PDB file of all heavy atoms in Angstrom:
ATOM      1  N   TYR A1260     -28.129   1.960  -1.020  1.00  0.00           N
ATOM      2  CA  TYR A1260     -27.559   1.103  -2.065  1.00  0.00           C
ATOM      3  C   TYR A1260     -27.261   1.906  -3.336  1.00  0.00           C
ATOM      4  O   TYR A1260     -26.223   1.693  -3.989  1.00  0.00           O
ATOM      5  CB  TYR A1260     -28.524  -0.037  -2.393  1.00  0.00           C
ATOM      6  CG  TYR A1260     -28.474  -1.185  -1.422  1.00  0.00           C
ATOM      7  CD1 TYR A1260     -29.619  -1.622  -0.760  1.00  0.00           C
ATOM      8  CD2 TYR A1260     -27.281  -1.851  -1.169  1.00  0.00           C
ATOM      9  CE1 TYR A1260     -29.578  -2.677   0.130  1.00  0.00           C
ATOM     10  CE2 TYR A1260     -27.233  -2.918  -0.286  1.00  0.00           C
ATOM     11  CZ  TYR A1260     -28.379  -3.319   0.365  1.00  0.00           C
ATOM     12  OH  TYR A1260     -28.330  -4.368   1.242  1.00  0.00           O
ATOM     13  N   ALA A1261     -28.146   2.806  -3.696  1.00  0.00           N
ATOM     14  CA  ALA A1261     -27.930   3.624  -4.896  1.00  0.00           C
ATOM     15  C   ALA A1261     -26.710   4.519  -4.728  1.00  0.00           C
ATOM     16  O   ALA A1261     -25.917   4.690  -5.666  1.00  0.00           O
ATOM     17  CB  ALA A1261     -29.174   4.467  -5.172  1.00  0.00           C
ATOM     18  N   LEU A1262     -26.545   5.089  -3.541  1.00  0.00           N
ATOM     19  CA  LEU A1262     -25.389   5.941  -3.280  1.00  0.00           C
ATOM     20  C   LEU A1262     -24.089   5.156  -3.356  1.00  0.00           C
ATOM     21  O   LEU A1262     -23.100   5.614  -3.954  1.00  0.00           O
ATOM     22  CB  LEU A1262     -25.539   6.585  -1.899  1.00  0.00           C
ATOM     23  CG  LEU A1262     -24.433   7.556  -1.477  1.00  0.00           C
ATOM     24  CD1 LEU A1262     -24.376   8.749  -2.444  1.00  0.00           C
ATOM     25  CD2 LEU A1262     -24.657   8.049  -0.051  1.00  0.00           C
ATOM     26  N   LEU A1263     -24.078   3.958  -2.769  1.00  0.00           N
ATOM     27  CA  LEU A1263     -22.884   3.127  -2.803  1.00  0.00           C
ATOM     28  C   LEU A1263     -22.564   2.673  -4.226  1.00  0.00           C
ATOM     29  O   LEU A1263     -21.400   2.650  -4.646  1.00  0.00           O
ATOM     30  CB  LEU A1263     -23.061   1.914  -1.894  1.00  0.00           C
ATOM     31  CG  LEU A1263     -23.166   2.202  -0.394  1.00  0.00           C
ATOM     32  CD1 LEU A1263     -23.443   0.919   0.373  1.00  0.00           C
ATOM     33  CD2 LEU A1263     -21.891   2.865   0.112  1.00  0.00           C
ATOM     34  N   ALA A1264     -23.602   2.314  -4.984  1.00  0.00           N
ATOM     35  CA  ALA A1264     -23.393   1.898  -6.372  1.00  0.00           C
ATOM     36  C   ALA A1264     -22.845   3.043  -7.212  1.00  0.00           C
ATOM     37  O   ALA A1264     -21.963   2.846  -8.070  1.00  0.00           O
ATOM     38  CB  ALA A1264     -24.701   1.380  -6.964  1.00  0.00           C
ATOM     39  N   ALA A1265     -23.352   4.251  -6.970  1.00  0.00           N
ATOM     40  CA  ALA A1265     -22.842   5.422  -7.699  1.00  0.00           C
ATOM     41  C   ALA A1265     -21.384   5.678  -7.362  1.00  0.00           C
ATOM     42  O   ALA A1265     -20.575   6.018  -8.234  1.00  0.00           O
ATOM     43  CB  ALA A1265     -23.696   6.642  -7.357  1.00  0.00           C
ATOM     44  N   GLY A1266     -21.030   5.511  -6.079  1.00  0.00           N
ATOM     45  CA  GLY A1266     -19.634   5.681  -5.694  1.00  0.00           C
ATOM     46  C   GLY A1266     -18.733   4.653  -6.335  1.00  0.00           C
ATOM     47  O   GLY A1266     -17.617   4.972  -6.767  1.00  0.00           O
ATOM     48  N   TRP A1267     -19.207   3.404  -6.427  1.00  0.00           N
ATOM     49  CA  TRP A1267     -18.422   2.352  -7.072  1.00  0.00           C
ATOM     50  C   TRP A1267     -18.238   2.655  -8.554  1.00  0.00           C
ATOM     51  O   TRP A1267     -17.140   2.499  -9.104  1.00  0.00           O
ATOM     52  CB  TRP A1267     -19.133   1.012  -6.877  1.00  0.00           C
ATOM     53  CG  TRP A1267     -18.315  -0.170  -7.333  1.00  0.00           C
ATOM     54  CD1 TRP A1267     -16.992  -0.187  -7.672  1.00  0.00           C
ATOM     55  CD2 TRP A1267     -18.783  -1.513  -7.497  1.00  0.00           C
ATOM     56  NE1 TRP A1267     -16.601  -1.454  -8.028  1.00  0.00           N
ATOM     57  CE2 TRP A1267     -17.680  -2.279  -7.934  1.00  0.00           C
ATOM     58  CE3 TRP A1267     -20.013  -2.123  -7.310  1.00  0.00           C
ATOM     59  CZ2 TRP A1267     -17.788  -3.651  -8.177  1.00  0.00           C
ATOM     60  CZ3 TRP A1267     -20.117  -3.492  -7.557  1.00  0.00           C
ATOM     61  CH2 TRP A1267     -19.016  -4.236  -7.990  1.00  0.00           C
ATOM     62  N   LEU A1268     -19.323   3.096  -9.207  1.00  0.00           N
ATOM     63  CA  LEU A1268     -19.233   3.434 -10.625  1.00  0.00           C
ATOM     64  C   LEU A1268     -18.249   4.578 -10.852  1.00  0.00           C
ATOM     65  O   LEU A1268     -17.446   4.544 -11.802  1.00  0.00           O
ATOM     66  CB  LEU A1268     -20.616   3.811 -11.147  1.00  0.00           C
ATOM     67  CG  LEU A1268     -20.694   4.222 -12.624  1.00  0.00           C
ATOM     68  CD1 LEU A1268     -20.228   3.087 -13.518  1.00  0.00           C
ATOM     69  CD2 LEU A1268     -22.113   4.649 -12.984  1.00  0.00           C
ATOM     70  N   ALA A1269     -18.294   5.590  -9.986  1.00  0.00           N
ATOM     71  CA  ALA A1269     -17.357   6.716 -10.115  1.00  0.00           C
ATOM     72  C   ALA A1269     -15.916   6.251  -9.946  1.00  0.00           C
ATOM     73  O   ALA A1269     -15.017   6.694 -10.677  1.00  0.00           O
ATOM     74  CB  ALA A1269     -17.696   7.790  -9.077  1.00  0.00           C
ATOM     75  N   ALA A1270     -15.686   5.344  -8.989  1.00  0.00           N
ATOM     76  CA  ALA A1270     -14.334   4.826  -8.780  1.00  0.00           C
ATOM     77  C   ALA A1270     -13.845   4.045  -9.986  1.00  0.00           C
ATOM     78  O   ALA A1270     -12.675   4.144 -10.379  1.00  0.00           O
ATOM     79  CB  ALA A1270     -14.302   3.948  -7.524  1.00  0.00           C
ATOM     80  N   LEU A1271     -14.740   3.260 -10.604  1.00  0.00           N
ATOM     81  CA  LEU A1271     -14.352   2.504 -11.799  1.00  0.00           C
ATOM     82  C   LEU A1271     -14.017   3.436 -12.959  1.00  0.00           C
ATOM     83  O   LEU A1271     -13.062   3.196 -13.715  1.00  0.00           O
ATOM     84  CB  LEU A1271     -15.476   1.544 -12.190  1.00  0.00           C
ATOM     85  CG  LEU A1271     -15.675   0.324 -11.285  1.00  0.00           C
ATOM     86  CD1 LEU A1271     -16.922  -0.441 -11.707  1.00  0.00           C
ATOM     87  CD2 LEU A1271     -14.449  -0.587 -11.339  1.00  0.00           C
ATOM     88  N   VAL A1272     -14.798   4.502 -13.120  1.00  0.00           N
ATOM     89  CA  VAL A1272     -14.523   5.473 -14.194  1.00  0.00           C
ATOM     90  C   VAL A1272     -13.168   6.126 -13.972  1.00  0.00           C
ATOM     91  O   VAL A1272     -12.358   6.265 -14.911  1.00  0.00           O
ATOM     92  CB  VAL A1272     -15.636   6.533 -14.245  1.00  0.00           C
ATOM     93  CG1 VAL A1272     -15.249   7.664 -15.195  1.00  0.00           C
ATOM     94  CG2 VAL A1272     -16.953   5.901 -14.699  1.00  0.00           C
ATOM     95  N   LEU A1273     -12.892   6.527 -12.744  1.00  0.00           N
ATOM     96  CA  LEU A1273     -11.598   7.139 -12.431  1.00  0.00           C
ATOM     97  C   LEU A1273     -10.461   6.141 -12.624  1.00  0.00           C
ATOM     98  O   LEU A1273      -9.368   6.510 -13.079  1.00  0.00           O
ATOM     99  CB  LEU A1273     -11.599   7.659 -10.995  1.00  0.00           C
ATOM    100  CG  LEU A1273     -12.520   8.857 -10.717  1.00  0.00           C
ATOM    101  CD1 LEU A1273     -12.535   9.181  -9.231  1.00  0.00           C
ATOM    102  CD2 LEU A1273     -12.070  10.081 -11.524  1.00  0.00           C
ATOM    103  N   ALA A1274     -10.712   4.876 -12.298  1.00  0.00           N
ATOM    104  CA  ALA A1274      -9.676   3.849 -12.480  1.00  0.00           C
ATOM    105  C   ALA A1274      -9.365   3.649 -13.956  1.00  0.00           C
ATOM    106  O   ALA A1274      -8.201   3.483 -14.337  1.00  0.00           O
ATOM    107  CB  ALA A1274     -10.136   2.540 -11.846  1.00  0.00           C
ATOM    108  N   VAL A1275     -10.400   3.658 -14.793  1.00  0.00           N
ATOM    109  CA  VAL A1275     -10.185   3.515 -16.241  1.00  0.00           C
ATOM    110  C   VAL A1275      -9.371   4.684 -16.773  1.00  0.00           C
ATOM    111  O   VAL A1275      -8.441   4.508 -17.574  1.00  0.00           O
ATOM    112  CB  VAL A1275     -11.539   3.417 -16.973  1.00  0.00           C
ATOM    113  CG1 VAL A1275     -11.335   3.517 -18.479  1.00  0.00           C
ATOM    114  CG2 VAL A1275     -12.239   2.113 -16.620  1.00  0.00           C
ATOM    115  N   ARG A1276      -9.695   5.882 -16.336  1.00  0.00           N
ATOM    116  CA  ARG A1276      -8.943   7.062 -16.780  1.00  0.00           C
ATOM    117  C   ARG A1276      -7.489   6.979 -16.332  1.00  0.00           C
ATOM    118  O   ARG A1276      -6.564   7.287 -17.101  1.00  0.00           O
ATOM    119  CB  ARG A1276      -9.595   8.325 -16.240  1.00  0.00           C
ATOM    120  CG  ARG A1276     -10.958   8.640 -16.856  1.00  0.00           C
ATOM    121  CD  ARG A1276     -11.532   9.917 -16.276  1.00  0.00           C
ATOM    122  NE  ARG A1276     -12.823  10.259 -16.891  1.00  0.00           N
ATOM    123  CZ  ARG A1276     -13.563  11.298 -16.541  1.00  0.00           C
ATOM    124  NH1 ARG A1276     -13.132  12.121 -15.572  1.00  0.00           N
ATOM    125  NH2 ARG A1276     -14.707  11.540 -17.140  1.00  0.00           N
ATOM    126  N   ALA A1277      -7.270   6.577 -15.087  1.00  0.00           N
ATOM    127  CA  ALA A1277      -5.904   6.454 -14.587  1.00  0.00           C
ATOM    128  C   ALA A1277      -5.144   5.382 -15.351  1.00  0.00           C
ATOM    129  O   ALA A1277      -3.953   5.543 -15.653  1.00  0.00           O
ATOM    130  CB  ALA A1277      -5.924   6.136 -13.087  1.00  0.00           C
ATOM    131  N   LEU A1278      -5.825   4.278 -15.677  1.00  0.00           N
ATOM    132  CA  LEU A1278      -5.184   3.208 -16.440  1.00  0.00           C
ATOM    133  C   LEU A1278      -4.790   3.691 -17.831  1.00  0.00           C
ATOM    134  O   LEU A1278      -3.691   3.377 -18.328  1.00  0.00           O
ATOM    135  CB  LEU A1278      -6.140   2.015 -16.539  1.00  0.00           C
ATOM    136  CG  LEU A1278      -5.631   0.804 -17.319  1.00  0.00           C
ATOM    137  CD1 LEU A1278      -4.392   0.227 -16.667  1.00  0.00           C
ATOM    138  CD2 LEU A1278      -6.728  -0.255 -17.420  1.00  0.00           C
ATOM    139  N   ARG A1279      -5.649   4.470 -18.471  1.00  0.00           N
ATOM    140  CA  ARG A1279      -5.325   4.997 -19.802  1.00  0.00           C
ATOM    141  C   ARG A1279      -4.122   5.930 -19.742  1.00  0.00           C
ATOM    142  O   ARG A1279      -3.249   5.884 -20.624  1.00  0.00           O
ATOM    143  CB  ARG A1279      -6.537   5.725 -20.373  1.00  0.00           C
ATOM    144  CG  ARG A1279      -7.672   4.798 -20.797  1.00  0.00           C
ATOM    145  CD  ARG A1279      -8.853   5.591 -21.317  1.00  0.00           C
ATOM    146  NE  ARG A1279      -9.917   4.721 -21.821  1.00  0.00           N
ATOM    147  CZ  ARG A1279     -11.085   5.147 -22.255  1.00  0.00           C
ATOM    148  NH1 ARG A1279     -11.342   6.461 -22.275  1.00  0.00           N
ATOM    149  NH2 ARG A1279     -11.995   4.295 -22.681  1.00  0.00           N
ATOM    150  N   ARG A1280      -4.070   6.774 -18.705  1.00  0.00           N
ATOM    151  CA  ARG A1280      -2.919   7.670 -18.573  1.00  0.00           C
ATOM    152  C   ARG A1280      -1.634   6.882 -18.354  1.00  0.00           C
ATOM    153  O   ARG A1280      -0.585   7.218 -18.910  1.00  0.00           O
ATOM    154  CB  ARG A1280      -3.146   8.641 -17.413  1.00  0.00           C
ATOM    155  CG  ARG A1280      -4.216   9.684 -17.683  1.00  0.00           C
ATOM    156  CD  ARG A1280      -4.128  10.839 -16.702  1.00  0.00           C
ATOM    157  NE  ARG A1280      -4.355  10.405 -15.323  1.00  0.00           N
ATOM    158  CZ  ARG A1280      -5.537  10.408 -14.757  1.00  0.00           C
ATOM    159  NH1 ARG A1280      -6.619  10.790 -15.429  1.00  0.00           N
ATOM    160  NH2 ARG A1280      -5.672  10.026 -13.487  1.00  0.00           N
ATOM    161  N   THR A1281      -1.715   5.816 -17.555  1.00  0.00           N
ATOM    162  CA  THR A1281      -0.531   4.997 -17.299  1.00  0.00           C
ATOM    163  C   THR A1281      -0.058   4.309 -18.568  1.00  0.00           C
ATOM    164  O   THR A1281       1.143   4.280 -18.861  1.00  0.00           O
ATOM    165  CB  THR A1281      -0.853   3.943 -16.223  1.00  0.00           C
ATOM    166  OG1 THR A1281      -1.258   4.600 -15.018  1.00  0.00           O
ATOM    167  CG2 THR A1281       0.367   3.073 -15.938  1.00  0.00           C
ATOM    168  N   ARG A1282      -0.999   3.762 -19.343  1.00  0.00           N
ATOM    169  CA  ARG A1282      -0.611   3.088 -20.582  1.00  0.00           C
ATOM    170  C   ARG A1282      -0.059   4.070 -21.593  1.00  0.00           C
ATOM    171  O   ARG A1282       0.872   3.740 -22.356  1.00  0.00           O
ATOM    172  CB  ARG A1282      -1.829   2.360 -21.160  1.00  0.00           C
ATOM    173  CG  ARG A1282      -2.208   1.107 -20.381  1.00  0.00           C
ATOM    174  CD  ARG A1282      -3.403   0.414 -20.984  1.00  0.00           C
ATOM    175  NE  ARG A1282      -3.636  -0.885 -20.355  1.00  0.00           N
ATOM    176  CZ  ARG A1282      -4.657  -1.682 -20.636  1.00  0.00           C
ATOM    177  NH1 ARG A1282      -5.548  -1.289 -21.544  1.00  0.00           N
ATOM    178  NH2 ARG A1282      -4.801  -2.840 -20.032  1.00  0.00           N
ATOM    179  N   HIS A1283      -0.595   5.272 -21.623  1.00  0.00           N
ATOM    180  CA  HIS A1283      -0.078   6.292 -22.539  1.00  0.00           C
ATOM    181  C   HIS A1283       1.354   6.656 -22.170  1.00  0.00           C
ATOM    182  O   HIS A1283       2.222   6.796 -23.052  1.00  0.00           O
ATOM    183  CB  HIS A1283      -0.971   7.527 -22.495  1.00  0.00           C
ATOM    184  CG  HIS A1283      -0.524   8.627 -23.408  1.00  0.00           C
ATOM    185  ND1 HIS A1283      -0.608   8.543 -24.780  1.00  0.00           N
ATOM    186  CD2 HIS A1283       0.027   9.853 -23.139  1.00  0.00           C
ATOM    187  CE1 HIS A1283      -0.130   9.642 -25.328  1.00  0.00           C
ATOM    188  NE2 HIS A1283       0.256  10.460 -24.352  1.00  0.00           N
ATOM    189  N   ALA A1284       1.615   6.779 -20.863  1.00  0.00           N
ATOM    190  CA  ALA A1284       2.975   7.096 -20.413  1.00  0.00           C
ATOM    191  C   ALA A1284       3.940   5.964 -20.757  1.00  0.00           C
ATOM    192  O   ALA A1284       5.083   6.201 -21.150  1.00  0.00           O
ATOM    193  CB  ALA A1284       2.976   7.364 -18.911  1.00  0.00           C
ATOM    194  N   ARG A1285       3.479   4.716 -20.625  1.00  0.00           N
ATOM    195  CA  ARG A1285       4.331   3.567 -20.975  1.00  0.00           C
ATOM    196  C   ARG A1285       4.644   3.558 -22.465  1.00  0.00           C
ATOM    197  O   ARG A1285       5.775   3.287 -22.874  1.00  0.00           O
ATOM    198  CB  ARG A1285       3.619   2.267 -20.604  1.00  0.00           C
ATOM    199  CG  ARG A1285       3.544   1.991 -19.122  1.00  0.00           C
ATOM    200  CD  ARG A1285       2.833   0.676 -18.907  1.00  0.00           C
ATOM    201  NE  ARG A1285       2.618   0.404 -17.510  1.00  0.00           N
ATOM    202  CZ  ARG A1285       1.964  -0.651 -17.062  1.00  0.00           C
ATOM    203  NH1 ARG A1285       1.461  -1.516 -17.911  1.00  0.00           N
ATOM    204  NH2 ARG A1285       1.809  -0.842 -15.767  1.00  0.00           N
ATOM    205  N   ALA A1286       3.620   3.827 -23.278  1.00  0.00           N
ATOM    206  CA  ALA A1286       3.835   3.832 -24.724  1.00  0.00           C
ATOM    207  C   ALA A1286       4.849   4.899 -25.126  1.00  0.00           C
ATOM    208  O   ALA A1286       5.706   4.671 -25.993  1.00  0.00           O
ATOM    209  CB  ALA A1286       2.501   4.069 -25.446  1.00  0.00           C
ATOM    210  N   GLU A1287       4.776   6.066 -24.500  1.00  0.00           N
ATOM    211  CA  GLU A1287       5.745   7.121 -24.787  1.00  0.00           C
ATOM    212  C   GLU A1287       7.142   6.702 -24.368  1.00  0.00           C
ATOM    213  O   GLU A1287       8.124   6.985 -25.063  1.00  0.00           O
ATOM    214  CB  GLU A1287       5.342   8.407 -24.074  1.00  0.00           C
ATOM    215  CG  GLU A1287       4.100   9.076 -24.657  1.00  0.00           C
ATOM    216  CD  GLU A1287       3.792  10.391 -23.969  1.00  0.00           C
ATOM    217  OE1 GLU A1287       4.366  10.633 -22.881  1.00  0.00           O
ATOM    218  OE2 GLU A1287       2.997  11.176 -24.517  1.00  0.00           O
ATOM    219  N   ALA A1288       7.241   6.003 -23.213  1.00  0.00           N
ATOM    220  CA  ALA A1288       8.555   5.559 -22.745  1.00  0.00           C
ATOM    221  C   ALA A1288       9.151   4.523 -23.690  1.00  0.00           C
ATOM    222  O   ALA A1288      10.342   4.546 -23.997  1.00  0.00           O
ATOM    223  CB  ALA A1288       8.440   4.982 -21.333  1.00  0.00           C
ATOM    224  N   VAL A1289       8.305   3.613 -24.182  1.00  0.00           N
ATOM    225  CA  VAL A1289       8.783   2.583 -25.106  1.00  0.00           C
ATOM    226  C   VAL A1289       9.224   3.199 -26.428  1.00  0.00           C
ATOM    227  O   VAL A1289      10.257   2.829 -27.000  1.00  0.00           O
ATOM    228  CB  VAL A1289       7.685   1.528 -25.346  1.00  0.00           C
ATOM    229  CG1 VAL A1289       8.089   0.581 -26.472  1.00  0.00           C
ATOM    230  CG2 VAL A1289       7.437   0.746 -24.070  1.00  0.00           C
ATOM    231  N   SER A1290       8.433   4.149 -26.948  1.00  0.00           N
ATOM    232  CA  SER A1290       8.775   4.771 -28.225  1.00  0.00           C
ATOM    233  C   SER A1290      10.025   5.635 -28.114  1.00  0.00           C
ATOM    234  O   SER A1290      10.760   5.798 -29.092  1.00  0.00           O
ATOM    235  CB  SER A1290       7.604   5.624 -28.722  1.00  0.00           C
ATOM    236  OG  SER A1290       7.322   6.666 -27.793  1.00  0.00           O
TER     237      SER A1290
END
């Protein structure tokens, strides 16, 4: 369970980073 929870947490962290990069790219496109 601890291993699976750690994997889920890592995936969420990577998803947040990817989301920030996507929003940054959108903001540059809009500007």
Side-chain angles (χ1 to χ4, degrees):
Y1260 279 124
L1262 182 62
L1263 294 176
W1267 188 12
L1268 179 60
L1271 288 173
V1272 171
L1273 292 174
V1275 170
R1276 291 181 178 178
L1278 179 62
R1279 288 178 176 176
R1280 290 196 298 268
T1281 301
R1282 287 180 172 176
H1283 180 70
R1285 288 181 185 177
E1287 290 183 345
V1289 171
S1290 61

